[in-house]
Amino acid sequence: MGFLNFLATACLSALIPGASALLAFPGAEGFGRNAVGGRTGSAYHVTNLNDSGTGSFRDAVSASNRIVVFDVGGTIQIKTRIAVSKNIYIAGQTAPGDGITVYGNGMSFSNANDSIVRYIRFRMGKGGDSGKDGITIAEGSNMIFDHVSAAWGRDETFSINGEVHNVTIQNTIIGQGLETHSCGGLMQSDYGISLFRNLYIDNKTRNPKVKGMNDFQNNVIYNWGGGGAYIAGDSAGQSYANVVNNYFISGPSSSVAAFTRGNANFHGYVSENYYDSNHDGTLNGSPLCVQTSCYSEMDIKQTRFDYPGPEKLMSAPDAVTYVLNSVGTNFPARDAVDDGLVAEVRSFGTKGELISDENASSVASGVSKTAVTDTDGDGIPDAWEDAHGLDSGDATDAMKISSSGYANIEVYLNSLVPSS
Ligand SMILES: *[C@@H]1O[C@H](CO)[C@@H](O)[C@H](O)[C@H]1NC(C)=O
Ligand SMILES: *[C@@H]1O[C@H](CO)[C@@H](O)[C@H](O)[C@H]1NC(C)=O
Ligand SMILES: *[C@@H]1O[C@H](CO)[C@@H](O)[C@H](O)[C@H]1NC(C)=O
Ligand SMILES: *[C@@H]1O[C@H](CO)[C@@H](O)[C@H](O)[C@H]1NC(C)=O
Ligand SMILES: CC(=O)N[C@H]1CO[C@H](CO)[C@@H](O)[C@@H]1O
């Protein structure tokens, strides 16, 4: 594109009020809420469950500026890690059947700037490389993960560590890190990570381990092991974190307190974090005392850090209800593994295990083909185009920007799922 063209586009977006503040999707919150995804690119159809090649998920995310839609549902077994390019929107909510599970050697979102990732499961497993994470981000900016299910990391399960700016993980399951490490993950960045309404479950340690600039609200943490639940820094580096309205529930593997390894370098605004430590089968915890003794010697601050928080902050008990009902890839449906994890939490202390081999759990599989027809192949099914005044014979209308600021295909993707 010519320089003048570029200038015109830049001026135009400056003139549209709030254009730069468009949310990744309705319900996007926190530091990563303005990720752009593939809005200015094109749609890519995943048409098979192959590890590589035309129509595969690996091929779909190998080039930037794409909105990735799925014509198939089922398990994609991958042998080597998949590195995601920048400006990718992975729209798992388009998959038929029980949705998409990527099973194998893990994912890297390093430098996958402006990615949007929704409604998809990433499970690594014992076949993955020792010492590698299920999901890794080592650098990059502006990413949002929503209704993702991450499990079975060999090192960490979902880990951010490095020069990483403006990331949100919301409504996501991070669970069952594999023994011997068995970790939820590091959340270490000086440039903004938001963690809202997630479920950390069945990891020995690091649920998560936090360092830097972090906003941790309305999460549920269940059955951590001897390494601890929220690891507060354990570091000489400075941390500035909100820790608000989360619920920590001990399970059969939990043998230490909810907060561990804080020190004076960890500056935390803490409020109404509940702890249920009695394993008695009912949810009957109470708020932790707002004293260093309850928060492992961190430096407790009286004022909330001014980070972009959740639209609707829930009480910790309400967060448990919400998270159990809707966390993870729950559209088109929750699979057996996630159902099993949620059932463990509902035992409120009596069930849960740390595993070293995922086949102790059951892997959801099966292939389903979509029945929807997309004549022009633009990523929007004919029926939706017909019902919304688009042309099912015109492949160019999907990427046209609508009056809402979203591309027409995003309006379709947003319509599939609730906005929060
Ligand atoms: C997907 O893999 C199958 C089995 O190996 C193969 O027959 C098929 O051609 C592949 N599809 C594409 C589009 O490469
Ligand atoms: C677990 O089972 C899956 C599906 O049968 C298989 O592909 C995988 O190799 C198994 N993993 C291990 C660690 O045995
Ligand atoms: C991603 O964002 C970071 C931080 O803004 C920047 O340094 C990096 O060059 C970007 N990467 C790409 C691939 O654009
Ligand atoms: C991260 O977000 C902040 C606040 O919106 C913004 O000022 C900053 O430029 C963003 N960082 C990057 C690397 O995009
Ligand atoms: C599912 C899983 O691997 N959970 C593990 C989490 O960590 C604990 C503590 O090591 C293990 O006992 C669990 O098996």
Side-chain angles (χ1 to χ4, degrees), residues 223-244:
N223 194 36
W224 59 92
Y230 190 102
I231 314 267
D234 188 27
S235 159
Q238 300 295 308
S239 294
Y240 307 90
N242 292 325
V243 186
V244 174

Side-chain angles (χ1 to χ4, degrees), residues 202-353:
D202 284 347
N203 306 291
K204 180 165 55 187
T205 187
R206 299 184 176 175
N207 294 284
K209 177 168 188 253
V210 171
K211 196 165 105 183
M213 184 190 285
N214 195 282
D215 203 3
F216 194 73
Q217 308 205 33
N218 280 158
N219 299 286
V220 176
I221 302 88
Y222 183 73
N223 194 36
W224 59 92
Y230 190 102
I231 314 267
D234 188 27
S235 159
Q238 300 295 308
S239 294
Y240 307 90
N242 292 325
V243 186
V244 174
N245 293 24
N246 303 288
Y247 214 126
F248 295 81
I249 308 166
S250 294
S253 314
S254 308
S255 52
V256 296
F259 287 80
T260 53
R261 290 191 256 169
N263 62 32
N265 300 321
F266 194 98
H267 315 287
Y269 172 78
V270 297
S271 177
E272 292 292 306
N273 294 298
Y274 278 58
Y275 184 23
D276 181 353
S277 61
N278 65 11
H279 307 224
D280 69 348
T282 53
L283 186 66
N284 50 11
S286 51
L288 286 168
C289 71
V290 183
Q291 288 166 22
T292 52
S293 58
C294 285
Y295 286 95
S296 77
E297 308 304 318
M298 71 169 68
D299 167 36
I300 291 182
K301 306 308 274 189
Q302 299 307 318
T303 330
R304 191 182 299 246
F305 292 103
D306 185 19
Y307 301 153
E311 282 297 312
K312 284 173 287 186
L313 181 64
M314 291 172 259
S315 70
D318 285 352
V320 173
T321 305
Y322 180 90
V323 164
L324 295 187
N325 284 336
S326 64
V327 78
T329 303
N330 66 338
F331 186 91
R334 255 194 197 143
D335 75 351
V337 173
D338 286 355
D339 271 342
L341 293 176
V342 168
E344 283 186 3
V345 185
R346 289 193 199 281
S347 80
F348 296 123
T350 65
K351 296 197 182 113
E353 55 175 357

